[in-house]
């Protein structure tokens, strides 16, 4: 079957605030192929986590369509959605705050079975917990440890084991390594890559750090103030960034190469407010390439080279 595992169409998530509607996610569309990874990047508050949570229907989308393996999630009944969720999981940034401090490793990993009333036999569950610990590289001797007795890497392995418990095909990874030391980051990323190969997983990998997703993602999508502004295969995005915001993000990645060709682009101006944003380019007040049109109309995503989409009036193909 060649249909994508996930299709997101015109997804919007607005929050009511005392000052008006906050457009956290504003008309985002993309598809995700089976077994692939889409990196979702952008600065704090641009709507990455809200996009991930809305796709899993953990927060109710304002409008749009989420089609997972041919199923329209927003048309499912609550019980159908609960069943569907076994196939769609999430890994959080800070496993310490997402784990219950009173639960041992075993209790934390078997919680998804209890919630979904699966594997009721205690011995069977114990066997499954041990198998999951092996899968994520957690030593079996840690089975009765508590989260505070473990380091960040091991805690994140528990988070991954919990996400894998119900055998999902799709996982939203929300900054899964951002709280970890660099050496541990690499171990966890390698584990996730290995699991993807072995289990055929599809990832939406959320991060503010482009260097983390460079070697991890097949495609990268860049968000700015609730909008997706560019999406491309990873190498194309690094070789030919087209949106001025993407260029600024890439120029900020520290690289040890003294021959670096591009100067760091410092963003000037304030991030505009996500509340009732004007129908113009949301990046125009900070953009060095802005023309009059950018302050009159809102650019739409269009494909400028195969698989390379951008929403900028100035961008052309290459
Ligand atoms: N429950 C909520 N109620 C009101 N506003 C919210 C809510 N959740 C998120 N927001 C707002 O929506 C916008 C997007 O937030 P979101 O957490 O998705 O950003 P993010 O890209 O994940 O940021 P970060 O990198 O800091 O995690 C922000 O302006 C945030 O303040
Ligand atoms: Mg977030």
């Amino acid at each position: 079957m060649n249909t994508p595992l996930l299709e997101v169409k015109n997804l919007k998530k607005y929050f009511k605030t005392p000052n008006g509607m906050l457009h956290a996610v504003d008309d985002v569309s993309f598809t995700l192929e089976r077994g692939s990874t889409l990196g979702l990047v952008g600065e704090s508050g641009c709507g990455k986590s809200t996009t991930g949570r809305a796709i899993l229907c953990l927060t109710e989308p304002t409008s749009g369509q989420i089609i997972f393996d041919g199923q329209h999630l927003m048309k499912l009944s609550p019980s159908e959605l609960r069943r569907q969720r076994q196939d769609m999981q999430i890994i959080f940034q800070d496993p310490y705050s997402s784990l219950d401090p009173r639960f041992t490793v075993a209790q934390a990993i078997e919680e998804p079975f209890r919630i979904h009333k699966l594997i009721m036999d205690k011995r069977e569950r114990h066997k499954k917990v041990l198998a999951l610990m092996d899968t994520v590289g957690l030593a079996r001797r840690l089975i009765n440890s508590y989260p505070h007795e473990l380091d960040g890497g091991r805690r994140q392995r528990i988070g991954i084991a919990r996400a894998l418990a119900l055998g999902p095909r799709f996982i939203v990874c929300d900054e899964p390594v951002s709280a970890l030391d660099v050496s541990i980051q690499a171990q966890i990323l390698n584990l996730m890559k290995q699991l993807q190969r072995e289990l055929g997983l599809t990832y939406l990998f959320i991060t503010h750090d482009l260097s983390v997703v460079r070697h991890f993602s097949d495609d990268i999508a860049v968000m700015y103030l609730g909008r997706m502004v560019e999406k491309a295969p990873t190498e194309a995005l690094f070789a030919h960034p087209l949106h001025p915001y993407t260029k600024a993000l890439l120029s900020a990645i520290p690289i040890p190469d003294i021959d670096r060709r591009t100067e760091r682009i410092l963003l000037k101006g304030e991030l505009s407010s996500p509340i009732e944003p004007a129908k113009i380019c949301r990046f125009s007040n900070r953009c060095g390439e802005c023309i009059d049109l950018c302050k009159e109309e809102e650019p739409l995503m269009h494909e400028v080279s195969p698989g390379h989409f951008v929403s900028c009036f100035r961008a052309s193909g290459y």
Side-chain angles (χ1 to χ4, degrees):
M1 247 202 327
N2 278 334
T3 54
L5 181 66
L6 177 72
E7 283 180 76
V8 175
K9 293 186 182 170
N10 308 106
L11 180 67
K12 293 185 184 175
K13 177 65 193 183
Y14 295 174
F15 293 107
K16 211 179 251 171
T17 74
N19 301 320
M21 279 293 185
L22 187 151
H23 295 213
V25 179
D26 213 356
D27 211 357
V28 162
S29 301
F30 62 90
T31 57
L32 199 42
E33 301 301 326
R34 291 157 204 273
S36 72
T37 300
L38 174 66
L40 187 60
V41 303
E43 68 201 289
S44 184
C46 70
K48 305 180 296 295
S49 296
T50 306
T51 301
R53 292 173 53 79
I55 289 170
L56 300 180
C57 298
L58 293 173
T59 180
E60 196 188 351
T62 303
S63 64
Q65 291 180 3
I66 301 152
I67 305 163
F68 183 83
D69 203 15
Q71 292 234 55
H72 285 258
L73 296 191
M74 288 155 71
K75 292 185 187 160
L76 298 182
S77 70
S79 65
E80 287 171 328
L81 188 59
R82 211 171 312 120
R83 211 166 323 120
Q84 185 62 56
R85 280 237 192 78
Q86 297 181 18
D87 224 1
M88 316 174 73
Q89 295 288 321
I90 185 163
I91 302 172
F92 297 98
Q93 167 172 359
D94 183 358
Y96 200 51
S97 58
S98 61
L99 292 174
D100 189 324
R102 297 162 306 170
F103 279 9
T104 62
V105 170
Q107 289 167 329
I109 295 178
E110 67 178 14
E111 196 187 14
F113 302 126
R114 277 192 273 118
I115 293 173
H116 286 269
K117 299 195 170 54
L118 297 166
I119 318 186
M120 302 306 272
D121 181 66
K122 221 172 143 187
R123 290 227 323 261
E124 277 301 305
R125 238 178 17 235
H126 182 71
K127 268 208 267 180
K128 186 73 189 168
V129 167
L130 289 175
L132 281 163
M133 289 179 74
D134 294 346
T135 303
V136 300
L138 265 178
R140 289 184 171 199
R141 65 183 155 76
L142 300 174
I143 191 160
N144 292 317
S145 305
Y146 288 91
H148 73 268
E149 297 172 313
L150 304 174
D151 61 31
R154 290 198 175 93
R155 288 201 291 257
Q156 193 53 294
R157 286 176 198 266
I158 302 175
I160 296 171
R162 281 163 59 91
L164 292 179
L166 303 175
R169 285 181 290 168
F170 171 61
I171 303 183
V172 172
C173 316
D174 194 351
E175 307 260 12
V177 298
S178 305
L180 304 175
D181 292 345
V182 173
S183 60
I184 306 218
Q185 280 192 0
Q187 292 173 15
I188 296 293
L189 289 172
N190 285 339
L191 169 67
M192 292 178 64
K193 202 79 206 152
Q194 179 201 334
L195 293 171
Q196 178 169 48
R197 271 196 308 271
E198 291 173 2
L199 306 172
L201 299 170
T202 304
Y203 290 142
L204 178 68
F205 193 103
I206 296 172
T207 176
H208 60 276
D209 184 351
L210 260 170
S211 57
V212 165
V213 278
R214 178 166 195 175
H215 301 290
F216 199 85
S217 303
D218 300 288
D219 297 281
I220 292 183
V222 181
M223 280 186 81
Y224 188 82
L225 263 183
R227 283 270 188 195
M228 193 173 278
V229 295
E230 186 160 5
K231 177 175 180 277
T234 302
E235 281 321 309
L237 190 95
F238 275 82
H240 306 284
L242 297 176
H243 198 285
Y245 178 60
T246 312
K247 292 179 198 168
L249 280 184
L250 285 174
S251 80
I253 297 181
I255 45 170
D257 182 358
I258 45 168
D259 268 349
R260 137 174 239 158
R261 279 168 301 155
T262 50
E263 285 293 310
R264 175 156 187 181
I265 304 166
L266 287 174
L267 288 179
K268 297 190 200 81
E270 294 284 309
L271 191 74
S272 20
S273 165
I275 296 173
E276 315 276 3
K279 291 197 181 318
I280 61 170
C281 173
R282 292 180 194 186
F283 188 61
S284 57
N285 62 331
R286 299 170 92 186
C287 183
E289 301 178 33
C290 176
I291 52 174
D292 288 347
L293 181 61
C294 311
K295 294 193 181 281
E296 292 160 9
E297 277 179 39
E298 186 149 31
L300 297 175
M301 275 291 235
H302 56 287
E303 191 171 19
V304 285
S305 292
H308 197 149
F309 298 83
V310 64
S311 64
C312 174
F313 292 121
R314 312 242 14 221
S316 51
Y318 49 89

